[in-house]
Amino acid sequence: MNKKDLSERDICTKYITPAIQKAGWDLEKQIREEVTFTDGKVIVRGKMHARGERKRADYILYYKNNLPLAVVEAKDNKHSVGAGIQQAIGYAETLDIPFVFASNGDGFVFHDRTVCEGDKEYEISMDEFPSPEQLWNKYKKYKNIEDEETEAIITQNYHTDSNGKEPRYYQRIAINRTVEAIAKGQDRVLLVMATGTGKTYTAFQIIWRLWKSNKKKRILFLADRNILVDQAKTQDFAPFGDKITKVTHRKIDKSYEIYVAIYQGLTGNDPDKDVYKKFSRDFFDLVVIDECHRGSAKEDSAWREVLDYFSNATHLGLTATPKETKDVSNIHYFGEPIYTYSLKQGIEDGFLAPYKVIRPLINIDIDGLEIEPGTLDKYGNIVPDREYNLKDYDKELVIEERRKIVARRITEFLKSNSRYDKTIVFCVDIEHANKMRQALVNENADMVQENSKYVMQITGDNEEGKRELDNFISLDEKYPVIATTSKLMTTGVDAKTCKLIVLDSNINSMTEFKQIIGRGTRLRPDYDKYYFTILDFRGVTRLFEDKDFDGDPVCIFEPGPEEPFPPIDEPCPPVDEPGGNDGGIIRDPEPPIITDPPFEPKPSKYYINKGVEVVQVGERTMYYGPDGKLITENLIDYTKDKITSQYTLESFIKKWNEADKKAVIVEELQKQEILLSALSEEVKKKTGKELSIFDLICHVAFDAPPLSRRERANNVKKRNYFGKYSEKARAILNILIDKFAEDGIVEIENRQVLNLPIFKTYGTISEIMREFGGKDNYEAAIKELETELFKDENIA
């Protein structure tokens, strides 16, 4: 047996796995092979989507379940020993794994990420692979784990359920880093995880491990919405069983170990109502603060009073958007994030839904609106004569025709997709949300006739609307479909099936913007939700381009030695656009707990209902691009740029002709985020023809004449090149040519096509292949058929 002839999988089976086992690693409990750790990015163009390539490590070695120590990358023996080491280091950095190995079956290259001085990377023999204890001892030294108690906490098992649910790689990193930090005595910890990435599940596993190891015996989980604590108690925290309770009606029962509560349920304006003081200051060992950006870091916040009272406990803050302003600093309170998993990374990994942005362009939004002196509004008030623009509309000046245009465009979008796609419309204030509901009711009279709750106003002052919030976010309830809101739904609303977010509010706060975008980031393939759309009427999505949108949080507030916090009454300067004289810092005013400000019926708004021409003059559609930025090219231009940056016409034809399987080229194109189905649809609209993948690329990228699949199939039939085959074989090839005309080249390359009913009269797959003289001859016949199909002097 020649080692060089073995496949990579054979090298793993015969050499690498035995060497690892020989070093003492348990095949069942500690060695996992071909570990896929991402889902593959969802790529969106038009209404089509596809999945990018998943990332997969050849081996991950675990000291205990969910405590990985090493990544091993394997290559076949035609490669050098260390050929896979750079790839493995990249995986290890992503997965937060300290030890890295590469092998071709002759030996290992060992890269030690814990070494700062001395030999960091070197080669070892197949017999020198380190044991689990050797790597664990190196890890403990690196992490300064010096006593058995700390080690026992860090190695405490995760909770496992009957469904076999396991944490994703980033959740595992967040859990392990947090448990390790707390085990070693850190008393303030901040975790930053994008909306939709499972912060509550992550918090549960942290609490479970600390609780089971007796490191933290009594724990308080705090949030600012009942829906959040109820979901936590009944879903992720359910394994705590009768050890958990929710603090309700300001009643305290000290017989439990795990408590969930909302801030408002523990505090009140009257000191006698501060029920948290019924607990002793040392009652809780751990306080977990969900959505900690919403006030807990501000010194004069009522929420901070709870944290200050339980200051002896460890405090763990969870947020998607750490707040850093002149007055509020999560980082100053909790310290630098122990781990950050961003929206961009979540989209790249395929765990979060990407977005496309549609920016309708309305004439008065672009040009502004100048009010003549003496103009009266619909109520007879004199409108101040000046020029108004987007930041004034619906805040100071209401153009009723503009609201109708917005409602009409929202409705057109839903009609072109699905009238039942869950939609959140973010408005300037409650009055705006109320009137936008009315405009949408009028545009969707047929759907409202079907169910009056098709459109609902869900704001802080509207009890009927708030009662429908659970139905809106429910996976099983159809209504409401459209929710108009102001601030109430910006955070803490787990709208898993929301497919459309409408921005008709001037949003300058990066924190608020991130929270709003988070309403759409859940992926739900079971509900056909692979991406979401942002319909932006205010240019708010410019914030995607800001360096702070998805970067690491920057600590803005830097206290002096005798100034723990800045003066509370010093106002934050207003900001209209990111990036002014303050270096791009977006100042976030502290949002109140009851998020919607009451609408005051006074002439602070002027209503114009006639005399102003309002029209939509255009629209731009943008997609989430490969680098995380929005791209505005249309699909054909985008594809042309992608292809011509890599190929000439001649080199593409050569690659196509030399490929054993055309499916490999198709797969490569999809990895480059070229959506062939959407492109085919687009070209068909222009040419009226169904093109093969080959012709599609040649036509779009190199302006070759579009030859349809049917035309190519008929050309082959005219040439009658397959006279050398038996009558039955010729009939089978004719069917395959027709199949190409209907479905394309990839379908006829797959032998499973022979299982279709149309081939039944010719026998089984084996019998059909025997008609060609066996499997190899059948494959040769398919190869020859492909050559004939793509024989075209006009292109080359």
Side-chain angles (χ1 to χ4, degrees), residues 682-740:
E682 193 88 2
V683 171
K684 185 181 177 183
K685 289 176 188 174
K686 295 190 174 187
T687 65
K689 294 182 176 182
E690 298 265 13
L691 305 188
S692 68
I693 303 299
F694 175 78
D695 288 288
L696 193 63
I697 297 301
C698 290
H699 175 64
V700 167
F702 306 109
D703 301 315
L707 196 64
S708 72
R709 295 197 301 261
R710 180 61 64 188
E711 289 170 320
R712 285 195 175 277
N714 289 338
N715 287 344
V716 172
K717 289 182 176 181
K718 288 174 189 175
R719 288 198 289 269
N720 194 26
Y721 83 95
F722 39 64
K724 61 183 178 182
Y725 294 104
S726 70
E727 182 180 350
K728 187 183 287 188
R730 288 199 302 272
I732 292 166
L733 288 171
N734 264 311
I735 295 172
L736 288 171
I737 291 171
D738 289 335
K739 188 67 179 167
F740 163 79

Side-chain angles (χ1 to χ4, degrees), residues 393-422:
Y393 300 153
D394 301 298
K395 184 178 181 182
E396 296 180 30
L397 187 70
V398 175
I399 313 296
E400 294 189 348
E401 188 58 31
R402 184 186 180 281
R403 290 179 171 180
K404 291 178 183 177
I405 292 281
V406 171
R408 192 169 304 140
R409 181 64 188 95
I410 295 168
T411 304
E412 287 171 358
F413 179 87
L414 292 173
K415 285 180 176 179
S416 67
N417 291 275
S418 168
R419 300 292 292 279
Y420 295 101
D421 282 352
K422 295 283 186 172

Side-chain angles (χ1 to χ4, degrees), residues 145-174:
I145 302 168
E146 298 174 346
D147 58 84
E148 292 182 3
E149 182 183 350
T150 302
E151 183 175 355
I153 297 165
I154 290 170
T155 57
Q156 174 61 47
N157 290 332
Y158 278 61
H159 177 268
T160 55
D161 59 29
S162 56
N163 296 323
K165 180 178 180 179
E166 290 188 345
R168 292 169 173 168
Y169 83 86
Y170 63 86
Q171 293 170 334
R172 187 257 309 155
I173 295 171

Side-chain angles (χ1 to χ4, degrees), residues 161 175 452-453 681:
D161 59 29
I175 295 162
S452 63
K453 293 180 179 177
E681 229 176 65

Side-chain angles (χ1 to χ4, degrees), residues 320-321 342-344 347 355 510 513-515 517-518 521 541-552 586 624 628-629:
T321 52
S342 67
L343 171 66
K344 180 179 179 181
I347 293 173
Y355 45 81
M510 186 63 76
F513 177 61
K514 283 187 178 182
Q515 289 289 338
I517 297 308
T521 54
T541 48
R542 70 185 184 280
L543 294 176
F544 280 129
E545 299 160 16
D546 190 278
K547 65 180 178 60
D548 291 330
F549 172 70
D550 204 33
D552 293 328
I586 296 176
Y624 182 92
K629 302 294 184 184

Side-chain angles (χ1 to χ4, degrees), residues 195 199 223-228 231 290-295 303 318-321 323 424 426 469 473 485-495 511-520 522 591-596:
T195 301
K199 289 191 296 294
D224 70 332
R225 298 274 174 85
N226 266 310
I227 191 170
L228 294 177
Q231 285 175 350
D290 194 21
E291 305 289 359
C292 68
H293 66 278
R294 292 184 54 78
W303 303 356
L318 309 173
T319 183
T321 52
K323 178 169 290 188
I424 306 175
F426 289 95
L469 181 57
I473 65 178
T485 191
S486 170
K487 301 284 188 184
L488 185 64
M489 298 176 72
T490 58
T491 184
V493 176
D494 194 9
T511 297
E512 184 178 2
F513 177 61
K514 283 187 178 182
Q515 289 289 338
I516 286 172
I517 297 308
R519 299 315 103 208
R522 272 76 171 176
I593 293 171
I594 299 176
T595 54
D596 287 317

